[in-house]
Amino acid sequence: MPRLLLLAISAANLLGAKAPEIPPAITGISHLAVYSRDMVKSELFYRHVLGARKGVDPENSSGVRFYFSSRQFVEVLPAPNGQSASMLAHAAYVTADAARLRAWLSGQGMKGLGPVLGVAGGDRWFVTHDPEGNEIQFVQPANPDATAVPGAISGRVIHVGYAVHDRAKQDSFYRRLLGFRPYWFGAFEPTKVDWVSQQAPDGRDWIEYMMVGPGSDVPIDKVNANQLGVLNHFSLGVPNMQAAVTTLYRENRLSPRHDGPQMGLDGKWQANFYDPDGTRVELMEFQPVSKPCCSPFTAESPTY
Protein backbone atom coordinates (compact mmCIF):
# COMPACT_ATOMS: atom_id res chain seq x y z
CA MET A 1 0.00 0.00 0.00
CA PRO A 2 1.44 3.43 -0.88
CA ARG A 3 2.25 5.36 2.22
CA LEU A 4 -0.46 7.82 3.22
CA LEU A 5 0.94 11.28 3.68
CA LEU A 6 -0.55 13.97 5.82
CA LEU A 7 -0.51 17.04 3.64
CA ALA A 8 0.30 20.51 4.83
CA ILE A 9 -2.80 21.04 6.88
CA SER A 10 -3.69 20.35 10.49
CA ALA A 11 -6.35 21.24 12.96
CA ALA A 12 -3.89 23.41 14.87
CA ASN A 13 -2.96 25.39 11.79
CA LEU A 14 -6.59 25.82 10.83
CA LEU A 15 -7.46 27.40 14.15
CA GLY A 16 -5.17 30.30 13.40
CA ALA A 17 -5.90 30.57 9.69
CA LYS A 18 -8.63 32.54 8.00
CA ALA A 19 -10.84 30.20 6.02
CA PRO A 20 -11.40 31.12 2.37
CA GLU A 21 -14.67 33.00 1.86
CA ILE A 22 -15.69 31.10 -1.28
CA PRO A 23 -15.43 27.30 -1.25
CA PRO A 24 -13.57 25.57 -4.07
CA ALA A 25 -15.62 23.86 -6.74
CA ILE A 26 -17.39 20.56 -6.09
CA THR A 27 -17.78 19.21 -9.59
CA GLY A 28 -19.32 15.75 -9.33
CA ILE A 29 -19.00 12.13 -8.26
CA SER A 30 -15.62 10.55 -7.50
CA HIS A 31 -16.76 7.11 -6.37
CA LEU A 32 -18.94 4.96 -4.19
CA ALA A 33 -17.34 2.51 -1.75
CA VAL A 34 -19.20 -0.71 -0.92
CA TYR A 35 -18.51 -3.76 1.21
CA SER A 36 -18.18 -7.29 -0.15
CA ARG A 37 -18.48 -10.64 1.58
CA ASP A 38 -16.70 -12.38 -1.30
CA MET A 39 -14.07 -10.30 -3.07
CA VAL A 40 -13.60 -12.87 -5.85
CA LYS A 41 -17.28 -12.80 -6.77
CA SER A 42 -17.31 -9.01 -6.60
CA GLU A 43 -14.35 -8.81 -8.95
CA LEU A 44 -16.12 -11.04 -11.46
CA PHE A 45 -19.14 -8.73 -11.39
CA TYR A 46 -17.31 -5.43 -11.69
CA ARG A 47 -14.77 -6.62 -14.24
CA HIS A 48 -16.82 -9.02 -16.37
CA VAL A 49 -20.36 -7.64 -16.19
CA LEU A 50 -19.51 -3.94 -16.07
CA GLY A 51 -16.12 -4.08 -17.78
CA ALA A 52 -14.33 -1.93 -15.20
CA ARG A 53 -10.55 -1.94 -14.89
CA LYS A 54 -9.10 -3.31 -11.64
CA GLY A 55 -6.67 -1.11 -9.74
CA VAL A 56 -4.95 -0.89 -6.36
CA ASP A 57 -6.64 0.97 -3.54
CA PRO A 58 -4.39 3.68 -2.04
CA GLU A 59 -6.89 4.27 0.78
CA ASN A 60 -7.06 0.69 2.02
CA SER A 61 -4.57 -2.06 1.19
CA SER A 62 -7.28 -4.73 1.49
CA GLY A 63 -9.61 -2.95 -0.90
CA VAL A 64 -9.79 -2.83 -4.69
CA ARG A 65 -10.80 -0.10 -7.09
CA PHE A 66 -12.72 -0.82 -10.28
CA TYR A 67 -12.37 2.08 -12.69
CA PHE A 68 -14.95 3.17 -15.26
CA SER A 69 -12.78 6.10 -16.26
CA SER A 70 -9.42 7.43 -15.15
CA ARG A 71 -11.26 9.50 -12.50
CA GLN A 72 -14.39 7.57 -11.47
CA PHE A 73 -14.62 4.14 -9.89
CA VAL A 74 -16.29 1.90 -7.35
CA GLU A 75 -14.19 0.96 -4.32
CA VAL A 76 -14.84 -2.55 -2.98
CA LEU A 77 -13.80 -3.33 0.60
CA PRO A 78 -13.91 -6.64 2.49
CA ALA A 79 -16.92 -6.60 4.80
CA PRO A 80 -15.76 -6.50 8.43
CA ASN A 81 -17.00 -9.09 10.88
CA GLY A 82 -20.43 -8.14 12.12
CA GLN A 83 -21.13 -5.78 9.22
CA SER A 84 -24.69 -4.46 9.40
CA ALA A 85 -27.31 -5.02 6.71
CA SER A 86 -26.04 -1.98 4.80
CA MET A 87 -23.15 -2.62 2.42
CA LEU A 88 -22.51 1.10 1.88
CA ALA A 89 -19.07 2.18 3.06
CA HIS A 90 -18.93 5.78 1.85
CA ALA A 91 -19.68 8.17 -0.99
CA ALA A 92 -17.11 10.54 -2.46
CA TYR A 93 -17.36 13.79 -4.41
CA VAL A 94 -14.76 15.58 -6.52
CA THR A 95 -13.41 18.95 -5.41
CA ALA A 96 -10.94 21.25 -7.08
CA ASP A 97 -8.98 21.71 -3.84
CA ALA A 98 -9.35 19.35 -0.87
CA ALA A 99 -7.31 21.44 1.57
CA ARG A 100 -9.19 24.65 0.78
CA LEU A 101 -12.55 22.92 1.04
CA ARG A 102 -11.65 21.47 4.41
CA ALA A 103 -10.51 24.88 5.61
CA TRP A 104 -13.74 26.46 4.38
CA LEU A 105 -15.90 23.83 6.09
CA SER A 106 -13.96 24.33 9.30
CA GLY A 107 -14.53 28.07 8.98
CA GLN A 108 -18.26 27.39 8.71
CA GLY A 109 -18.11 25.64 12.08
CA MET A 110 -18.28 22.06 10.84
CA LYS A 111 -16.86 19.49 13.26
CA GLY A 112 -15.52 15.99 12.72
CA LEU A 113 -13.36 16.81 9.70
CA GLY A 114 -10.59 14.29 9.11
CA PRO A 115 -7.10 15.39 8.01
CA VAL A 116 -6.28 15.83 4.36
CA LEU A 117 -4.58 12.67 3.18
CA GLY A 118 -2.89 11.78 -0.05
CA VAL A 119 -0.61 9.55 -2.00
CA ALA A 120 2.59 11.09 -3.30
CA GLY A 121 1.82 12.34 -6.80
CA GLY A 122 -1.78 11.14 -6.50
CA ASP A 123 -5.20 12.09 -5.19
CA ARG A 124 -5.85 14.11 -2.04
CA TRP A 125 -8.92 13.62 0.11
CA PHE A 126 -10.48 14.06 3.52
CA VAL A 127 -13.33 12.35 5.34
CA THR A 128 -16.34 13.74 7.14
CA HIS A 129 -19.94 12.63 7.81
CA ASP A 130 -23.29 13.98 6.73
CA PRO A 131 -26.06 14.67 9.28
CA GLU A 132 -27.37 11.07 9.08
CA GLY A 133 -23.92 9.63 9.77
CA ASN A 134 -22.96 8.55 6.25
CA GLU A 135 -19.22 8.73 5.66
CA ILE A 136 -18.50 11.30 2.96
CA GLN A 137 -15.19 11.96 1.23
CA PHE A 138 -14.09 14.92 -0.85
CA VAL A 139 -11.43 13.97 -3.38
CA GLN A 140 -9.06 16.20 -5.31
CA PRO A 141 -7.94 14.00 -8.21
CA ALA A 142 -4.34 14.14 -9.35
CA ASN A 143 -5.61 14.31 -12.92
CA PRO A 144 -9.06 15.92 -13.22
CA ASP A 145 -9.45 14.85 -16.85
CA ALA A 146 -11.54 11.70 -17.26
CA THR A 147 -10.74 9.10 -19.93
CA ALA A 148 -13.20 6.21 -20.32
CA VAL A 149 -11.90 2.68 -19.71
CA PRO A 150 -12.01 0.62 -22.94
CA GLY A 151 -14.59 -2.16 -22.67
CA ALA A 152 -16.46 -0.65 -19.73
CA ILE A 153 -20.22 -0.57 -20.26
CA SER A 154 -20.00 3.10 -19.29
CA GLY A 155 -17.22 5.55 -18.59
CA ARG A 156 -19.36 7.89 -16.53
CA VAL A 157 -20.83 7.68 -13.02
CA ILE A 158 -23.68 10.19 -13.11
CA HIS A 159 -25.15 9.82 -9.65
CA VAL A 160 -25.01 8.05 -6.31
CA GLY A 161 -27.97 7.42 -4.04
CA TYR A 162 -28.45 6.32 -0.46
CA ALA A 163 -31.19 5.96 2.10
CA VAL A 164 -32.33 9.21 3.72
CA HIS A 165 -34.69 9.46 6.68
CA ASP A 166 -34.79 13.23 7.23
CA ARG A 167 -34.73 15.35 4.09
CA ALA A 168 -34.50 18.68 5.95
CA LYS A 169 -31.54 17.51 8.00
CA GLN A 170 -29.66 16.30 4.91
CA ASP A 171 -30.50 19.51 3.05
CA SER A 172 -28.78 21.50 5.80
CA PHE A 173 -25.53 19.86 4.68
CA TYR A 174 -25.84 19.16 0.97
CA ARG A 175 -27.92 22.15 -0.11
CA ARG A 176 -27.44 24.98 2.37
CA LEU A 177 -23.81 24.35 3.30
CA LEU A 178 -22.33 22.76 0.17
CA GLY A 179 -24.62 24.32 -2.42
CA PHE A 180 -26.07 21.26 -4.17
CA ARG A 181 -28.86 22.36 -6.55
CA PRO A 182 -32.35 20.90 -7.07
CA TYR A 183 -32.65 18.71 -10.17
CA TRP A 184 -35.80 16.53 -9.88
CA PHE A 185 -38.01 14.77 -7.35
CA GLY A 186 -40.63 12.07 -7.71
CA ALA A 187 -42.59 9.20 -6.19
CA PHE A 188 -44.84 6.29 -7.04
CA GLU A 189 -47.78 8.13 -5.47
CA PRO A 190 -48.53 11.85 -5.93
CA THR A 191 -48.89 12.48 -2.19
CA LYS A 192 -45.43 11.10 -1.35
CA VAL A 193 -41.77 11.79 -2.09
CA ASP A 194 -39.48 8.83 -2.78
CA TRP A 195 -36.54 10.34 -4.67
CA VAL A 196 -34.93 13.76 -4.38
CA SER A 197 -32.14 14.47 -6.86
CA GLN A 198 -29.73 17.37 -6.38
CA GLN A 199 -26.81 18.23 -8.63
CA ALA A 200 -23.31 19.06 -7.50
CA PRO A 201 -22.71 22.80 -7.09
CA ASP A 202 -20.38 23.01 -10.10
CA GLY A 203 -21.39 20.07 -12.27
CA ARG A 204 -24.24 17.88 -13.49
CA ASP A 205 -23.64 14.71 -11.44
CA TRP A 206 -26.13 14.36 -8.64
CA ILE A 207 -26.92 12.82 -5.29
CA GLU A 208 -30.25 11.02 -5.00
CA TYR A 209 -31.94 10.94 -1.62
CA MET A 210 -33.68 7.55 -1.45
CA MET A 211 -36.38 8.50 1.03
CA VAL A 212 -37.54 6.03 3.67
CA GLY A 213 -40.06 6.33 6.47
CA PRO A 214 -43.07 8.68 6.77
CA GLY A 215 -43.88 10.54 3.57
CA SER A 216 -42.32 7.87 1.32
CA ASP A 217 -43.41 4.51 -0.09
CA VAL A 218 -40.79 2.65 1.98
CA PRO A 219 -41.82 2.03 5.62
CA ILE A 220 -38.95 1.86 8.10
CA ASP A 221 -39.83 -1.74 9.02
CA LYS A 222 -39.33 -2.77 5.37
CA VAL A 223 -35.76 -1.46 5.18
CA ASN A 224 -33.97 -4.82 5.28
CA ALA A 225 -30.71 -5.92 3.64
CA ASN A 226 -32.37 -6.47 0.27
CA GLN A 227 -34.04 -3.06 0.34
CA LEU A 228 -30.83 -1.31 1.37
CA GLY A 229 -29.09 -2.84 -1.62
CA VAL A 230 -31.67 -1.19 -3.85
CA LEU A 231 -31.53 2.15 -2.04
CA ASN A 232 -27.76 2.46 -1.72
CA HIS A 233 -26.58 2.48 -5.32
CA PHE A 234 -24.69 4.22 -8.07
CA SER A 235 -25.67 4.96 -11.64
CA LEU A 236 -23.69 4.68 -14.88
CA GLY A 237 -24.74 6.91 -17.75
CA VAL A 238 -25.17 5.43 -21.23
CA PRO A 239 -26.14 7.24 -24.44
CA ASN A 240 -28.39 4.40 -25.65
CA MET A 241 -29.93 1.79 -23.36
CA GLN A 242 -30.80 -0.66 -26.11
CA ALA A 243 -27.20 -0.69 -27.34
CA ALA A 244 -25.77 -1.09 -23.82
CA VAL A 245 -28.06 -3.97 -22.80
CA THR A 246 -27.62 -5.65 -26.19
CA THR A 247 -23.87 -5.62 -25.61
CA LEU A 248 -24.32 -7.34 -22.24
CA TYR A 249 -26.60 -9.98 -23.78
CA ARG A 250 -24.34 -10.58 -26.79
CA GLU A 251 -21.18 -10.92 -24.68
CA ASN A 252 -22.86 -13.04 -21.97
CA ARG A 253 -22.19 -10.38 -19.36
CA LEU A 254 -25.57 -10.21 -17.62
CA SER A 255 -25.46 -10.51 -13.84
CA PRO A 256 -27.54 -13.36 -12.34
CA ARG A 257 -29.86 -10.75 -10.85
CA HIS A 258 -31.01 -7.95 -13.11
CA ASP A 259 -34.16 -6.16 -14.22
CA GLY A 260 -35.21 -3.88 -17.03
CA PRO A 261 -34.79 -2.02 -19.21
CA GLN A 262 -37.79 0.04 -18.20
CA MET A 263 -38.87 3.64 -18.43
CA GLY A 264 -38.23 5.44 -15.15
CA LEU A 265 -40.70 7.91 -13.69
CA ASP A 266 -38.12 10.59 -14.51
CA GLY A 267 -38.60 9.84 -18.21
CA LYS A 268 -35.23 8.12 -18.67
CA TRP A 269 -34.56 4.54 -19.75
CA GLN A 270 -33.07 2.50 -16.91
CA ALA A 271 -31.81 -1.03 -16.25
CA ASN A 272 -30.59 -2.48 -12.96
CA PHE A 273 -27.81 -4.94 -12.22
CA TYR A 274 -26.85 -6.18 -8.76
CA ASP A 275 -23.46 -7.14 -7.41
CA PRO A 276 -23.12 -10.39 -5.39
CA ASP A 277 -23.98 -8.55 -2.17
CA GLY A 278 -27.10 -6.94 -3.60
CA THR A 279 -25.75 -3.44 -4.25
CA ARG A 280 -27.63 -2.01 -7.22
CA VAL A 281 -25.85 -0.58 -10.24
CA GLU A 282 -28.24 1.38 -12.40
CA LEU A 283 -27.65 1.98 -16.08
CA MET A 284 -29.43 5.18 -17.09
CA GLU A 285 -29.66 7.12 -20.31
CA PHE A 286 -28.23 10.62 -19.97
CA GLN A 287 -31.27 12.40 -21.35
CA PRO A 288 -35.00 11.95 -20.67
CA VAL A 289 -37.09 10.78 -23.62
CA SER A 290 -40.51 11.47 -22.10
CA LYS A 291 -42.04 13.90 -19.67
CA PRO A 292 -41.12 13.09 -16.05
CA CYS A 293 -43.74 12.57 -13.41
CA CYS A 294 -44.14 14.70 -10.32
CA SER A 295 -41.82 17.61 -11.14
CA PRO A 296 -39.97 19.09 -14.09
CA PHE A 297 -36.20 18.98 -14.34
CA THR A 298 -34.82 22.22 -12.96
CA ALA A 299 -31.27 21.82 -14.31
CA GLU A 300 -29.65 20.41 -17.43
CA SER A 301 -28.92 16.69 -17.50
CA PRO A 302 -25.44 15.25 -18.14
CA THR A 303 -24.62 14.87 -21.83
CA TYR A 304 -21.84 12.28 -21.67
Side-chain angles (χ1 to χ4, degrees):
M1 174 182 179
R3 185 167 63 93
L4 293 179
L5 302 175
L6 276 176
L7 302 174
I9 186 168
S10 67
N13 290 338
L14 284 172
L15 290 174
K18 183 179 179 180
E21 294 182 359
I22 301 175
I26 299 172
T27 57
I29 306 299
S30 166
H31 64 277
L32 191 74
V34 298
Y35 290 117
S36 167
R37 292 190 171 90
D38 188 322
M39 296 291 283
V40 174
K41 289 182 179 178
S42 293
E43 179 173 339
L44 179 64
F45 173 80
Y46 288 105
R47 292 188 69 183
H48 176 64
V49 175
L50 301 182
R53 175 175 56 83
K54 183 180 179 180
V56 299
D57 187 350
E59 295 181 56
N60 188 324
S61 59
S62 61
V64 181
R65 289 182 174 183
F66 295 98
Y67 287 90
F68 302 102
S69 75
S70 55
R71 188 175 62 77
Q72 292 183 308
F73 55 93
V74 61
E75 181 181 7
V76 180
L77 303 168
N81 293 332
Q83 174 62 29
S84 68
S86 174
M87 301 305 280
L88 174 67
H90 63 260
Y93 301 91
V94 174
T95 180
D97 190 323
R100 279 190 60 227
L101 180 59
R102 187 192 184 283
W104 183 82
L105 290 171
S106 179
Q108 300 300 307
M110 188 170 179
K111 307 298 182 183
L113 297 165
V116 177
L117 302 172
V119 179
D123 297 350
R124 300 178 178 185
W125 68 88
F126 68 93
V127 174
T128 187
H129 292 82
D130 72 16
E132 291 203 352
N134 298 300
E135 181 179 316
I136 303 299
Q137 294 185 3
F138 292 98
V139 180
Q140 177 186 340
N143 181 3
D145 296 327
T147 303
V149 169
I153 199 64
S154 167
R156 183 79 157 79
V157 179
I158 57 175
H159 75 260
V160 296
Y162 31 98
V164 167
H165 301 77
D166 189 325
R167 178 179 174 181
K169 184 182 292 186
Q170 293 292 74
D171 277 352
S172 70
F173 177 68
Y174 291 103
R175 286 193 61 180
R176 288 187 286 279
L177 179 61
L178 296 177
F180 278 66
R181 299 162 295 133
Y183 177 49
W184 178 78
F185 68 86
F188 288 111
E189 299 180 26
T191 59
K192 297 181 179 180
V193 176
D194 293 327
W195 316 287
V196 181
S197 298
Q198 304 186 96
Q199 286 186 337
D202 305 285
R204 296 182 185 176
D205 299 352
W206 69 92
I207 176 178
E208 186 173 26
Y209 295 177
M210 305 296 289
M211 300 303 302
V212 300
S216 80
D217 283 297
V218 183
I220 291 293
D221 61 3
K222 299 295 184 182
V223 182
N224 54 21
N226 182 71
Q227 186 69 54
L228 283 168
V230 174
L231 298 171
N232 301 331
H233 72 284
F234 68 95
S235 179
L236 297 168
V238 296
N240 184 286
M241 186 62 66
Q242 182 179 6
V245 174
T246 297
T247 294
L248 297 178
Y249 270 99
R250 184 180 61 245
E251 298 179 359
N252 194 28
R253 290 166 57 184
L254 292 174
S255 59
R257 181 184 170 199
H258 60 273
D259 57 75
Q262 64 269 328
M263 179 63 67
L265 291 180
D266 58 357
K268 299 180 183 182
W269 281 108
Q270 303 166 6
N272 296 309
F273 300 84
Y274 300 83
D275 80 4
D277 294 282
T279 296
R280 181 166 64 99
V281 181
E282 178 184 46
L283 299 189
M284 174 181 281
E285 285 193 359
F286 292 112
Q287 298 293 320
V289 296
S290 66
K291 183 179 179 180
C293 85
C294 314
S295 73
F297 288 101
T298 56
E300 295 184 10
S301 299
T303 57
Y304 65 92

